[in-house]
Structures are given as structure tokens and as C-alpha cells.
């Protein structure tokens, strides 16, 4: 146990990616020099740490203490393992490969037919993963964790409790099926939840702990962070505001956005893109449809804001096509909520869900590598 | 610091209220016997612990070790201090007085006029507090903490950011004003939030960590617990679903419940009670009004449920007059939410907000008396 804690404390001091001297590690960790030497030796053996050659003339932090004995430099080998972030979407499969520091080393994108059944879709996932690993020259055995995003309500074990967007998805043991393809942990999460995590990590919500991410789309959803942590809800269904439309007399996006009186196909994103483009170009019928849709979106977001009271609402999904959404949303939230949150467009674009999945995998790895539990107060783990 | 921790560990072992021997305390705390003796001596001096006379023939837990020396028994003096839970409502002021174990020792209720301005209302609060203290024979200086519930959005300092239900309430520094009357900490919280806390403490939500309390009324609100902790929101405005009515084309409760086509007075609870009674008695116009209102309530609750995904929804406020609300609510939530929560009526009745305020005050006291931070692992505080 103490060995594990000492290793975690030492790895933490190394995780910045900069190479560091043994003496610095002794100072940073509060461990004794012999302890650090022992820990480093076993970390080098395990492949997690490498000794680095430095110029003899290089500046020495710590100053005069190194006199006579040349300093030894070490770095964390982020390339010792890798993680995957996967989005399984209605129209595409997206895979991001990164090292243990979260540095992206490969991505692959595969458009898929919305009509694929679950087996065909899982097969497309396997192909896409194989392709990204092959391109990067990384072995499957080198994966430490895999994060996966999917539409629908996903429980903690990774079973899809409800997933109407893709054929054969409801009831699928997605976690179990994917775990057959990997020897490492596979973590499944709802796509909007992952988008919230991703925007908090690298997008519009950096530094904000109370965030609602709204995934605008034909099946709208949302993900919330409360105090910086994902709020999944008791049954993993938090933020599934799509159903609010049911309360609004069938005012579904595909009806609201129709320019013909006949609803759009509920999966036909191309038809939606056409309406958005027409509206931008000044087509009146399309503009009316767009206004109808925005009115409904504002209502959904207002309901979320009243329930949760976030600091920031991030709008994504179709956000790219909804340039005009921010101003009306801001105005309506001022009117209809008691304390209007800030409003921003998503920053991460089409990779947002896969990035969130990557972050979840990275959290898992960091927990294993760096977690010291119970937390030490600096010198707590001194050997 | 160590003294404080040892005292907290010892008080924890005594908090059950049962009297306990010194030997038991040594076993329960993991502290040495001389340490426990020292701690107990200072706790007796401070009035928090009393030595208890026991029959010489009473059974001795711990067995043979007491031979020759008579066991000394001690108990926590819950009466060493007191706490208050106060509800400041539109139509009433309610005060509950309890000892440090949360045992209620006095209550007082004072109906007030809805038109009172802030000064008059605060004065009524002071009178009610004085009355409950006088009746119980407790000195104001004996108060350790005061919890206060108020309608509206209350920030962490106790300033009312928005409080439309009572004249002069918005912008009031309620915390600052009440702190002048007490020498102990005064904690201000939104009324629906306190109701959620109270139902979780002693009502319908005992043992459930993910709970939404819906306060049905002319200005409906809600309070949520997530993982057993109050979710206040970034600005203290979480659960203020009353504003959803604004999105529903002026479908406010006072319009929905009207039987005349003319809205009820937004503060006239008596008129509401009349409509509810008429509906129960079979009056058709009243029943239509009631159905309209219930439909709206279901919509608000559904929005909350979709956003938060709680395990349980507790309906209070007018719940007493809404016997019929549970079945339609349950059915509609089954239809309109993706994972329907359990639904229950509030159990605590008209004291629910004051009880929640009491619980908040008690939490504060328990933090001071029993908190050991950082947490010890049994023997961690051994002297």
C-alpha cells in the first residue's frame, strides 16, 4: 500500500511531462532520497518512467547541491500506455487515440448508415478502432482504458436502458459487448453527458463547475456538471429533456422545422441542414420554421435552467448551424428565468462527444496512476 | 487541534443519548484511558457532558475489567444548548425550538397578514421567537444556531435576491437583520429547499439521496437533494420552476384555478381552498379548474424530473388539499419521462419548512461538536 502511494506521489511530481532531477523529486514529494530512488527504479522497470540524458552544462535547479555528482533526470513515459475515446453516433463512428497524458496521437472517423442494426454498428466500431490503432502503430494490448459515448439512457454497467435513435439499441448490453474487444476497462456514458465533460475540459466551460450542455438536434438532450462533477441522475436519465416535447403537444423538432406542413424524417439531418441554410439565406417559410424551433429550444433550456440553476449553458450539437441561437436564447432566459446563466456556443465541434469519452478514460487512468487515498498532507507518505 | 479532535471523537461516542461508561468510551473511541479521562473532565466542565448516577448492581458492559472499581457513567447533555428552526411565510411565522440532539422542546405559530412590510414581518419573527423561548424557559444566550426558511432566491450570505411573495422582501439582507437578534450563527435558506431537507430527515424521503420536493402553491417552487445533499444551484435559484408558467402563456395557478374566468388574487389561499373543496364536492366548474391546475403541475414536475432524474418526487405545500394529485402525477410521469421516479405526498405537513430550518441549524451544531477533519481511521487520533 505504502509502495503504491509513494509511486503515485512520485508520478504526480513527474506528470507535468517535464523532465525532473532526483533531487527535485525528493523536494516535490517530501519522500526521502532512498525512497525516491527505490520508487523510480521500479517505475523505470515497469516502463512508466524513463531516465533522460541531459547536457552536463544544463542549468541545475536546486543549485549547488549537485556538486561532484551529476544529476539524474527522469520523465513520465506518457507513451507507456494509450486510451481511446469513442463516439457511437447515428450517422458516424468517431475514435480518438491518446497517450497517458491525454495527448492525441490519432483519430479516425467513419460515416455509417442510420439504419444499421446493433451488430452492424458494433462491427463498424471495431473496424474504426482497428484502423486508428493500425495507423498509429499502437497495439491493442497497450490500451489502458476506453471511454464510449452513445445516445440514450445508459446505466452504470453500460447497458442501454433506452436508446430510440438507433435500431436495436434499447436493451443492448453495450458495455458487455465492447468489453469482449478490449482487455482494459470500458466506460460507457450518454453522449450529451460526455459533451458537457469535454467542454469543461477543453471548450467553452473551462473553469466553470456548474454547467449545462444542451445538445440541439432532432433528439435533443443535455448533460450537466454540478460542482465540476457529472450529474447522471438516479437512473442515468438526467437531462433527457427531449421528452419535454411530448408535453408540448407533439411539438417535436421534426415538426417545428418542417417547411411543408409534413414533419421531417426524425433522422434526416440533411433535411434539417437544408432548412437552416434556407433560413440563413432569407427564405421566409424556413425562417418561420426556424423561429418555431428556436422558441421550443429556449423553452427546453429554460426548464433545465430553472431546475438546475447553472453558471453557464453551452449549446452544441447543431450549434454550428444555429449561429443565430445565442441572442434569442440569452434574451429569453433573461425574461423567463430568475437568475439568467451565461450562454455560449460549444467550442469543440464534431469531436465533442469523443473528446468527452477520452476524458472519462483519462480520468480512469489518472485515478490508477496518481490517486493517493486517503489524501496525504505533503509529508504524509514519507517513508 | 488534537484536543478538539479527541473531544469530537468522545462526543460522537456519547451522542446516542444513552449513558456510557468510561471503559466503553475507551473501547468506542480508540483513545487511551487517561486521554478519555482528560477529555471527559473538560467536557463536564464545559457543561456538554454530565456524570450519571447508576445502581451499583446494574449490568456492566465490558465485564470483568471493572472489578473492585465502580464504573463511572456519562451522558451527552443535549440540553446544554438549543437551536431554532424558523419559517418566515406569507401567512405565518413558525418557530421550533430543540435541544442539541434535535429533540423538539417548544413550538410557536403566529398567523400574519400577507400585506406586512419587511420591518413588520421581522418584528413578528422576533415576537414569535421571544414567545417560544419564554414558554420553554430557555435563555436567548443558550442558542447555538438558528435556521431560517424564506420564500424566494436567497444567496449564501442570506440576502434575498428575489422574493416576490412578500412586500419589501427582494433585496432584503435577511441574514444581516436577523443576526442582530442572535449571538449565534443564523443560516438562511429557501423554503422549498428546507422542505426537501426536512422530508429527507423525518418524512417521506428518509433514506433516499436523490429527491425533488415540489411545493405546490400559488408560487410553486422546488428543492432538490442530490446524493443526499441540497442542490442550491450556482446562484441559489435551483428549482424555481414557478417561472415555467411564464413560458406557458400566462398559465399561472391563479388563472388555472379560477372558476370565474377572472384570475384569483395571487396571494388568496382561502380562495384556493374554496376551489379545492368545491372540486372535491363534485362541482364541475371547480373540477375543470382543478384539472387545469394539475395538468400544469404535472408539466412543471416533469420538467424537473427530466432535468434531474430523482429517485423520488415528494409533493407538498397544498398537498393536503391535493389528495387526488398522486395518481395523475404518477400516470403522467410514466408517459412523459424516460425513467419515472417514485411519487409520494409530503409527510411533515405545515411544519415542514421550520423542521428543515431546524435540521440546518442542527447540522451546523453537529459540525462543531462531532466533526473530525481530516477523517480519522479509528485509531488516528489516539493520544
Amino acid at each position: 500500500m505504502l509502495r503504491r502511494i509513494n509511486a503515485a506521489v512520485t508520478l504526480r511530481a513527474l506528470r507535468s511531462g517535464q523532465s525532473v532531477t532526483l533531487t527535485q523529486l525528493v523536494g516535490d514529494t517530501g519522500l526521502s532520497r532512498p525512497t525516491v530512488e527505490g520508487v523510480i527504479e521500479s517505475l523505470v522497470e515497469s516502463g512508466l518512467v524513463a531516465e533522460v540524458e541531459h547536457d552536463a552544462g544544463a542549468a541545475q535547479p536546486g543549485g549547488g547541491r549537485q556538486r561532484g555528482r551529476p544529476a539524474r533526470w527522469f520523465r513520465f513515459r506518457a507513451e507507456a500506455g494509450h486510451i481511446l475515446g469513442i463516439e457511437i453516433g447515428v450517422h458516424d463512428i468517431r475514435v480518438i487515440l491518446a497517450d497517458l497524458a491525454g495527448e492525441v496521437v490519432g483519430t479516425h472517423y467513419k460515416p455509417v448508415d442510420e439504419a444499421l442494426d446493433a451488430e452492424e454498428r458494433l462491427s463498424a466500431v471495431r473496424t474504426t478502432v482497428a484502423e486508428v490503432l493500425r495507423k498509429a502503430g499502437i497495439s491493442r494490448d497497450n490500451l489502458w482504458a476506453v471511454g464510449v459515448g452513445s445516445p440514450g439512457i445508459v446505466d452504470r454497467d453500460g447497458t442501454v436502458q433506452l436508446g430510440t435513435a438507433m435500431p436495436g439499441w434499447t436493451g443492448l448490453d453495450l458495455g458487455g459487448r465492447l468489453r469482449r474487444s478490449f482487455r482494459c476497462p470500458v466506460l460507457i456514458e450518454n453522449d450529451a453527458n460526455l459533451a458537457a465533460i469535454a467542454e469543461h475540459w477543453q471548450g467553452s466551460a473551462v473553469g466553470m463547475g456548474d454547467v449545462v450542455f444542451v445538445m440541439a438536434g432532432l433528439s435533443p438532450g443535455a448533460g450537466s456538471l454540478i460542482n465540476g462533477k457529472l450529474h447522471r441522475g438516479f437512473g442515468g436519465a438526467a437531462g433527457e429533456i427531449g421528452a419535454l416535447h411530448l408535453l408540448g403537444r407533439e411539438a417535436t423538432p421534426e415538426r417545428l422545422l418542417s417547411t411543408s406542413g409534413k414533419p421531417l424524417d426524425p433522422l434526416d439531418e440533411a433535411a434539417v441542414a437544408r432548412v437552416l441554410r434556407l433560413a440563413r439565406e432569407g427564405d421566409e417559410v424556413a425562417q418561420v420554421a426556424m423561429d418555431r424551433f428556436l422558441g421550443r429550444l429556449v423553452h427546453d433550456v429554460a426548464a433545465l435552467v430553472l431546475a438546475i440553476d447553472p453558471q453557464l449553458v453551452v449549446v452544441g450539437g447543431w450549434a454550428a448551424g444555429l449561429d443565430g441561437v445565442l441572442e434569442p436564447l440569452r434574451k429569453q432566459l433573461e425574461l423567463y428565468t430568475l437568475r439568467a446563466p451565461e450562454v455560449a456556443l460549444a467550442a469543440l465541434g464534431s469531436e465533442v462527444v469523443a473528446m468527452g469519452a477520452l476524458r472519462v478514460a483519462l480520468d480512469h487512468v489518472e485515478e490508477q496512476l496518481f490517486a493517493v487515498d486517503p489524501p496525504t498532507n505533503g509529508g504524509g507518505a514519507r517513508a
Side-chain angles (χ1 to χ4, degrees), chain A:
Chain A
M1 183 58 193
L2 196 58
R3 281 175 64 97
R4 209 197 69 76
I5 292 175
N6 287 340
V9 167
T10 306
L11 280 172
R12 267 185 202 222
L14 282 162
R15 74 195 283 188
S16 71
Q18 305 290 319
S19 54
V20 167
T21 66
L22 209 58
T23 304
Q24 274 174 291
L25 283 174
V26 169
D28 292 352
T29 59
L31 299 170
S32 73
R33 190 169 186 101
T35 300
V36 172
E37 285 174 339
V39 167
I40 282 287
E41 191 176 332
S42 68
L43 286 172
V44 168
E45 252 170 56
S46 74
L48 277 171
V49 167
E51 185 158 2
V52 187
E53 298 286 324
H54 262 258
D55 289 350
Q60 294 286 348
R65 297 181 64 192
Q66 277 76 22
R67 238 173 302 161
R69 186 159 59 161
R72 297 180 63 193
W73 294 76
F74 297 93
R75 69 172 182 86
F76 174 53
R77 288 190 68 241
E79 70 275 26
H82 288 81
I83 56 175
L84 287 178
I86 302 176
E87 177 187 11
I88 307 179
V90 177
H91 296 107
D92 37 33
I93 309 291
R94 201 174 283 276
V95 179
I96 305 181
L97 175 69
D99 66 17
L100 296 182
E103 202 69 41
V104 173
V105 298
T107 62
H108 198 66
Y109 162 78
K110 185 184 174 71
V112 291
D113 193 301
E114 65 199 35
L116 290 191
D117 67 22
E119 289 309 319
E120 292 163 331
R121 201 171 296 270
L122 287 172
S123 163
V125 171
R126 282 190 292 268
T127 315
T128 317
V129 166
E131 181 60 20
V132 78
L133 290 173
R134 193 192 59 73
K135 278 199 299 184
I138 302 293
S139 149
R140 183 173 298 258
D141 291 341
N142 190 251
L143 293 175
W144 284 38
V146 176
V148 180
S150 157
I153 302 179
V154 184
D155 68 19
R156 277 166 209 274
D157 295 333
T159 299
V160 181
Q161 293 297 327
L162 189 68
T164 53
M166 306 191 297
W169 218 243
T170 298
L172 182 68
D173 177 11
L174 184 56
R177 292 303 306 276
L178 290 174
R179 278 177 204 115
R180 292 187 206 162
S181 302
F182 300 101
R183 290 198 193 156
C184 62
V186 176
L187 309 147
I188 319 278
E189 190 52 82
N190 168 270
D191 53 2
N193 286 353
L194 291 178
I197 288 172
E199 289 288 329
H200 182 246
W201 183 26
Q202 301 198 347
S204 299
V206 169
M208 308 235 191
D210 293 280
V211 179
V212 168
F213 179 96
V214 178
M215 177 90 79
L218 283 171
S219 43
S224 304
L225 304 185
I226 295 176
N227 295 326
K229 284 183 59 183
L230 181 64
H231 172 61
R232 307 186 76 257
F234 182 70
E240 291 295 331
I241 49 163
L244 272 183
H245 295 300
L246 297 175
L247 295 163
R249 279 166 248 154
E250 302 293 309
T252 60
E254 53 269 29
R255 280 173 194 273
L256 296 169
L257 281 171
S258 165
T259 52
S260 67
K262 201 171 134 273
L264 305 176
D265 182 313
L267 293 171
D268 190 351
E269 300 276 348
V272 170
R274 199 161 53 241
V275 176
L276 301 191
R277 182 174 45 75
L278 283 171
R280 265 199 307 278
E281 291 170 6
D283 180 279
E284 274 183 39
V285 180
Q287 280 177 342
V288 169
M290 186 72 184
D291 285 349
R292 268 198 309 256
F293 173 75
L294 284 185
R296 190 74 217 175
L297 185 66
V298 167
H299 182 281
D300 292 354
V301 174
L304 274 172
V305 166
L306 289 170
I308 290 175
D309 185 23
Q311 181 177 10
L312 171 72
V313 172
V314 180
V315 184
W318 287 345
L322 301 175
D323 335 350
V325 75
L326 277 201
E327 258 333 287
L329 189 58
R330 212 171 261 138
K331 271 193 202 138
Q332 300 289 308
L333 287 179
E334 290 280 347
L335 275 177
Y336 291 138
T337 65
L338 303 183
R339 202 202 58 76
E342 299 173 45
V343 177
L345 286 181
L348 294 180
S350 56
E351 291 200 331
V352 66
V353 174
M355 285 298 284
L358 193 69
R359 180 65 249 184
V360 165
L362 192 56
D363 282 345
H364 184 84
V365 164
E366 291 187 345
E367 180 101 352
Q368 292 186 299
L369 287 179
F370 306 126
V372 177
D373 194 22
T376 62
N377 304 315
R382 190 178 291 269

